[in-house]
Amino acid sequence: MRDNCSVTDQRRDNPQFYMTEPVPCPYLQGRKERKVFTHLAGDFAPALNDILAQGGFRRSQSIAYRPACDGCSACISVRVLVNEFKPTRGMRRAVKANHDLSIHELPPMPTSEQYSVFRAYLDSRHADGGMADMSVLDYATMIEDTHVNTRLTEYRAADRLIACALTDILSDGLSMVYSFYEPDDSGTRSLGTFMILEHVARARKMGLPHLYLGYWVQGSQKMDYKAKFMPQERLGKSGWARYSPRG
């Protein structure tokens, strides 16, 4: 994202917003993507991040953004209703398949071991995506550059790192910023599903009502998995509204 000014001290009640230039959409072929964004910095960053997350923004490093595409509203913010959520049979199988994992919640500090898993994940799942060329320094910035309450969770099998999740702690929920895993382990373990289920359980234990999953993109197979975690709320023109297959 680009802007022409430096913001070092920004109050939460008077943030400055900017618009990116149109670029090819990473989810829908033939479409252009634009984002509106603001900086998250200083003492007010956690409170501002809270407010913006409830308004459909996502965090990337010290930037909060949301889609602002001309003539398109396919990106829809979704959050799982933690206290009502019940796993499907397939989800319960994913939990059982990962019963041997040890889970470590840590400060957002990058390691070479994490980057190795991250690199394998990108090469296998997103080789043509916008993050494909991220170096170890880019990865470190993604993890470390946060002015809000952020945790990094490592998932290990017999002390071997196989998955990670970067998560923000909000006043009303957990927000999964980014997660990745060893592609060779995913087939039998369903690691992407398991990490979401583990975050649902964690949010419930913390007394937080929501798990923010980012954007469900209508028409994008990459984002179809988010629709499986029901019931959930989706953000529309009139605010958050409950959604489930049964209404």
Side-chain angles (χ1 to χ4, degrees):
M1 298 181 191
R2 298 185 301 165
D3 63 276
N4 297 319
C5 62
S6 175
V7 179
T8 57
D9 186 16
Q10 175 178 269
R11 294 184 60 85
R12 66 175 177 176
D13 55 352
N14 191 31
Q16 299 180 54
F17 290 89
Y18 310 92
M19 187 77 78
T20 64
E21 295 294 327
V23 296
C25 176
Y27 302 112
L28 300 176
Q29 189 173 7
R31 306 247 185 124
K32 292 290 186 179
E33 172 191 67
R34 297 189 78 181
K35 293 186 177 78
V36 59
F37 70 98
T38 189
H39 294 265
L40 296 169
D43 295 339
F44 292 100
L48 179 59
N49 191 44
D50 252 31
I51 293 169
L52 293 178
Q54 293 170 21
F57 279 71
R58 296 286 288 166
R59 184 181 71 82
S60 176
Q61 300 173 37
S62 60
I63 296 291
Y65 70 90
R66 67 170 298 172
C69 307
D70 296 333
C72 182
S73 56
C75 294
I76 299 173
S77 296
V78 299
R79 62 187 188 187
V80 181
L81 295 170
V82 166
N83 294 324
E84 299 180 51
F85 174 79
K86 293 183 179 179
T88 64
R89 181 179 299 177
M91 292 174 183
R92 292 194 294 271
R93 285 198 296 267
V95 172
K96 185 176 180 180
N98 290 284
H99 74 279
D100 60 320
L101 296 188
S102 60
I103 301 171
H104 308 270
E105 189 179 349
L106 306 167
M109 298 292 292
T111 67
S112 58
E113 186 183 27
Q114 294 165 15
Y115 180 71
S116 178
V117 176
F118 176 72
R119 188 71 262 164
Y121 174 77
L122 289 184
D123 291 345
S124 174
R125 300 299 178 96
H126 302 285
D128 57 349
M131 301 173 72
D133 295 329
M134 285 182 66
S135 68
V136 65
L137 293 178
D138 295 328
Y139 172 76
T141 300
M142 182 181 79
I143 300 300
E144 292 179 323
D145 190 4
T146 174
H147 297 267
V148 302
N149 190 1
T150 303
R151 306 296 287 174
L152 180 68
T153 305
E154 293 185 345
Y155 301 82
R156 293 181 174 273
D159 204 37
R160 180 174 64 91
L161 183 66
I162 64 170
C164 290
L166 188 67
T167 308
D168 288 345
I169 302 175
L170 307 175
S171 63
D172 71 333
L174 299 178
S175 176
M176 297 187 72
V177 176
Y178 197 77
S179 59
F180 55 92
Y181 48 81
E182 279 283 4
D184 291 343
D185 290 276
S186 181
T188 56
R189 290 184 177 273
S190 300
L191 288 169
T193 295
F194 174 74
M195 283 190 282
I196 294 176
L197 295 173
E198 192 272 326
H199 275 69
V200 168
R202 190 188 311 180
R204 185 180 293 141
K205 186 176 180 179
M206 295 172 67
L208 299 172
H210 303 121
L211 175 63
Y212 289 80
L213 294 182
Y215 302 115
W216 171 74
V217 183
Q218 188 171 10
S220 171
Q221 291 185 347
K222 292 180 180 179
M223 295 296 166
D224 278 350
Y225 72 92
K226 296 182 182 182
K228 299 177 183 179
F229 295 86
M230 295 291 175
Q232 62 182 223
E233 290 181 331
R234 298 183 176 183
L235 184 60
K237 293 181 180 179
S238 300
W240 290 97
R242 181 188 178 91
Y243 176 88
S244 71
R246 294 179 295 276

